[in-house]
Amino acid sequence: MRLVEQARTLPVSASAVVHRGELLELLAQLRSGFHAALGEAQALLGNRDDVVEQGRREVERLLTEAQTERVRLVERTSVHREAQAEADRLLAQARAQAAAMQAEVEDYVDGKLANMEVVLTRTLQAVQRGRSRLAGHSELDDLRD
């Protein structure tokens, strides 16, 4: 923005002379930052899938353990009711852990994406202001309307 604000204006005109190389360099930096932010967002989405898949595997493992334990306990007829209750408790616990893990992962990803959204929104606003200034518009023009 400083580049445009300090640009030499043309006589009897709202146009300004901007050093092309400097402006192109700034635009390249902006593009690089955008690509980095986009790459980070994609990595987060990729990590989310990995974490969710890891959670699913852990849930399957817990369910398998619960079912194995249930079968073992049911074989003992004297403790059949206790075995059923324990198996149900383990199953409920595994489901609760899975739900908690999934909620935690989704909250984490949502937070990261919200931060990314703020960064991208600010970047977009900066680009829009820069383009507006390059087009000869001033923030004071918006106030006059």
Side-chain angles (χ1 to χ4, degrees), residues 17-82:
V17 176
V18 179
H19 189 273
R20 180 181 294 167
E22 290 178 26
L23 184 58
L24 289 174
E25 182 180 331
L26 287 173
L27 288 172
Q29 290 173 359
L30 184 62
R31 177 179 282 165
S32 174
F34 175 76
H35 287 305
L38 184 60
E40 185 178 329
Q42 289 172 336
L44 283 174
L45 288 175
N47 288 343
R48 176 187 178 269
D49 292 340
D50 291 343
V51 171
V52 168
E53 182 58 33
Q54 181 181 0
R56 284 190 185 126
R57 285 193 304 268
E58 180 66 14
V59 167
E60 288 175 11
R61 185 187 66 76
L62 289 171
L63 288 174
T64 301
E65 284 180 14
Q67 290 169 351
T68 303
E69 183 67 11
R70 179 179 172 199
V71 168
R72 186 184 68 77
L73 292 174
V74 169
E75 290 174 353
R76 298 180 185 175
T77 55
S78 64
V79 291
H80 177 68
R81 274 185 265 144
E82 291 176 4

Side-chain angles (χ1 to χ4, degrees), residues 23 113 143:
L23 184 58
L113 290 175
L143 295 174

Side-chain angles (χ1 to χ4, degrees), residues 123-137:
T123 301
L124 180 59
Q125 290 171 347
V127 169
Q128 289 170 340
R129 284 192 305 270
R131 290 186 71 209
S132 178
R133 286 188 181 144
L134 284 175
H137 297 290

